[in-house]
Amino acid sequence: MTVSAPDTLFNNNDRPLFDKIFHSPPGTFTYWRVRILYATIIGYAAFYLVRQNFSMAMPGIMAEYGFSKIDMGWIATTFSVVYGIGKFINGYLSDRSDARYFMSMGLFLSAMVCLAMGFGSGLLFFTLLWGLNGWFQSMGWPPCARLITQWFSHKELGSKWSLWASSHQIGAVAIFGLGGFLIERFGWRSVLIVPAFVSMGLAFFLLNRLRDTPKEVGLPSVEEYKNDVVHVSQKDDERITLKEVLTIVLANKLVWFMAIANMCLYVSRMGIFFWAPTFLQEFKGVTLVIAGLQLVSFEIASLFGGIVAGWASDRFFGGRRGPVGTVFLLGLSLALFAVWKTPPGHPLLDTLLLIMAGFLLNGPQVLNGIATADFASKRAVGVGTGFTGSFAYIGGAIAGVGVGSIAEKAGWDGVFILFIVTSLISAFFFSLTWNRRAKVLDAAVEEEEIDGPC
């Protein structure tokens, strides 16, 4: 099979950037890499439209039905538990499926559940449906992880994965920016119904844009394309077996370190995800519209934090994710302390501190997925990231009913102590991988030392 010319989008500086991105001939590797990257960014952002909208609806639901924070915490915890279990199981299923159909179906079904919630009522109804949404939401991340590792090599994975991961913030910014206005004009149900219709349409967009592997469109593997043929395994084209799940993922201590780090990180991540609008209204005394705008700033900063962290781990640390993740998490603990101790009545200062916290929080979240992809094999990336994602949503479960209970009984002070302590524990487990990176990168260095400079 003939390998196409070097990637003009990422290696050739002779053409203007706009021309490289939008005028690459159809059928080339550049064309398909750009197409896969923007489609996964838009597609996973759509998952957030029908996930993070519930946190915006929570104050209205509590006001209308008289639910307590503990009640709402159980809804959040149910979602997290189902999502965590689903992420592991669907990680395995996605590695054995076509990512194009798997991801599109998950988004469409998630939107359908969200739409139904916009017309329902009752604590049991919301809990059961939001738990079901957790399962369909878990069909989003694993196929994306598979697609990124099929179309981009380990040598560029940090920067390209972090670009894809901007989808989290794009979706969150969209729903935080519009959610407050929708709710004020049309009520809390509108923030569930409108995003559901948008996401249904985007599910069909994914079905049109995505392709599972380069081989599906007549191209060679990305390793061949990037002249990294020595690291191509014939098994890369095969589907992973259950035995390999045990040996490659579950017996890998580095994957376990990332799983525990992710669990602790997600206490803060999902705590902010579910409770920030309520916290900013109650503890900081701002309106829901101002809270939404503050969270837009938080998410925009998160976008840049993820991109910078991925780029820095490639550029300055040779593919090692541990150093960047550790430093970011130590900084996050300080930023959370500052948010906590700033008294009400200073919305601009609160916004600046939330920007700092968002930047520092998302970097380790992005790096955790990249590091897991590094430590697992290319064939196990879906189940590997699904496994660490399952642990993440143990932390998410704590952030649901746990944070709700703490806020109800001990106030928001106890919540921030929890966030800071878990951030420090996550930093410790990141530090245990300080000198580790993907084996293919170490093998490439060994070959260069043996062969000498070209």
Side-chain angles (χ1 to χ4, degrees):
M1 180 180 294
T2 302
V3 179
S4 56
D7 190 337
T8 55
L9 172 62
F10 298 110
N11 294 330
N12 185 341
N13 294 317
D14 295 334
R15 298 163 59 198
L17 179 61
F18 184 89
D19 187 47
K20 296 177 193 177
I21 296 175
F22 295 103
H23 294 94
S24 296
T28 63
F29 233 111
T30 297
Y31 168 84
W32 279 105
R33 279 156 61 93
V34 171
R35 177 166 161 167
I36 295 298
L37 189 59
Y38 76 68
T40 51
I41 289 173
I42 294 171
Y44 202 68
F47 273 88
Y48 263 64
L49 294 180
V50 285
R51 183 196 308 184
Q52 203 146 355
N53 56 342
F54 187 72
S55 67
M56 294 296 290
M58 280 171 55
I61 294 173
M62 286 190 288
E64 180 168 336
Y65 295 107
F67 297 154
S68 69
K69 293 185 181 68
I70 296 176
D71 292 332
M72 302 308 292
W74 277 114
I75 297 175
T77 291
T78 301
F79 175 94
S80 294
V81 170
V82 175
Y83 185 91
I85 296 170
K87 213 167 184 183
F88 182 59
I89 295 174
N90 284 321
Y92 172 71
L93 294 176
S94 73
D95 279 337
R96 297 183 60 84
S97 305
D98 189 311
R100 174 190 181 189
Y101 296 102
F102 199 85
M103 185 177 180
S104 301
M105 181 173 63
L107 178 58
F108 186 83
L109 293 173
S110 179
M112 289 289 291
V113 171
C114 196
L115 180 64
M117 287 190 67
F119 293 97
S121 62
L123 183 60
L124 181 61
F125 176 85
F126 287 133
T127 302
L128 291 176
L129 260 71
W130 202 239
L132 182 61
N133 190 39
W135 183 268
F136 296 136
Q137 284 280 321
S138 72
M139 297 173 68
W141 173 283
C144 281
R146 173 176 170 79
L147 286 162
I148 297 301
T149 53
Q150 288 290 332
W151 287 93
F152 298 94
S153 71
H154 276 285
K155 292 180 180 179
E156 57 184 344
L157 196 57
S159 56
K160 302 309 179 292
W161 187 298
S162 61
L163 282 174
W164 161 73
S166 67
S167 57
H168 299 68
Q169 285 69 49
I170 292 170
V173 163
I175 199 62
F176 281 143
L178 296 175
F181 295 100
L182 280 173
I183 292 170
E184 287 215 341
R185 286 160 176 76
F186 306 109
W188 61 265
R189 294 182 186 276
S190 66
V191 84
L192 296 171
I193 295 169
V194 173
F197 281 114
V198 174
S199 294
M200 285 181 201
L202 289 173
F204 290 99
F205 167 82
L206 284 181
L207 196 62
N208 173 265
R209 295 282 89 189
L210 296 180
R211 296 296 183 274
D212 190 47
T213 65
K215 184 178 179 181
E216 186 178 339
V217 293
L219 293 170
S221 70
V222 70
E223 289 83 4
E224 293 177 83
Y225 173 62
K226 301 294 285 186
N227 295 318
D228 197 20
V229 182
V230 70
H231 301 305
V232 176
S233 170
Q234 292 182 351
K235 296 188 70 178
D236 282 344
D237 288 334
E238 300 174 9
R239 301 297 184 180
I240 191 170
T241 65
L242 280 173
K243 180 180 179 181
E244 287 173 317
V245 171
L246 297 174
T247 57
I248 296 173
V249 178
L250 299 183
N252 189 332
K253 69 177 183 180
L254 298 176
V255 173
W256 277 94
F257 290 159
M258 286 298 95
I260 298 171
N262 218 19
M263 178 180 69
C264 296
L265 172 64
Y266 261 62
V267 174
S268 298
R269 172 61 181 160
M270 297 308 294
I272 295 172
F273 179 99
F274 283 119
W275 294 107
T278 305
F279 161 76
L280 290 171
Q281 275 193 300
E282 292 186 0
F283 190 71
K284 297 294 187 176
V286 300
T287 66
L288 189 60
V289 172
I290 296 298
L293 294 175
Q294 288 179 321
L295 291 170
V296 166
S297 301
F298 173 90
E299 294 293 348
I300 291 174
S302 295
L303 185 155
F304 288 105
I307 292 173
V308 169
W311 171 79
S313 68
D314 278 347
R315 178 68 177 81
F316 299 112
F317 294 94
R320 290 184 294 126
R321 322 302 175 187
V324 182
T326 303
V327 171
F328 270 53
L329 282 160
L330 292 175
L332 173 63
S333 64
L334 296 176
L336 289 171
F337 181 83
V339 173
W340 170 29
K341 289 300 183 181
T342 300
H346 300 84
L348 179 59
L349 180 57
D350 287 333
T351 302
L352 293 174
L353 291 172
L354 283 168
I355 287 172
M356 185 183 302
F359 183 91
L360 294 168
L361 175 61
N362 194 51
Q365 181 184 351
V366 171
L367 290 174
N368 192 282
I370 301 170
T372 304
D374 287 338
F375 301 147
S377 76
K378 180 178 177 180
R379 297 171 60 237
V381 66
V383 69
T385 55
F387 176 70
T388 57
S390 296
F391 271 72
Y393 279 84
I394 295 174
I398 295 171
V401 69
V403 168
S405 298
I406 292 171
E408 193 85 20
K409 298 175 182 178
W412 293 107
D413 290 348
V415 171
F416 272 88
I417 291 172
L418 175 66
F419 288 170
I420 292 167
V421 169
T422 52
S423 296
L424 293 173
I425 296 172
S426 184
F428 169 74
F429 280 96
F430 255 99
S431 72
L432 295 180
T433 69
W434 190 279
N435 293 316
R436 300 301 189 100
R437 60 181 183 170
K439 290 182 180 179
V440 295
L441 296 181
D442 289 327
V445 171
E446 292 173 4
E447 286 163 8
E448 289 175 3
E449 292 173 350
I450 292 172
D451 298 336
C454 297

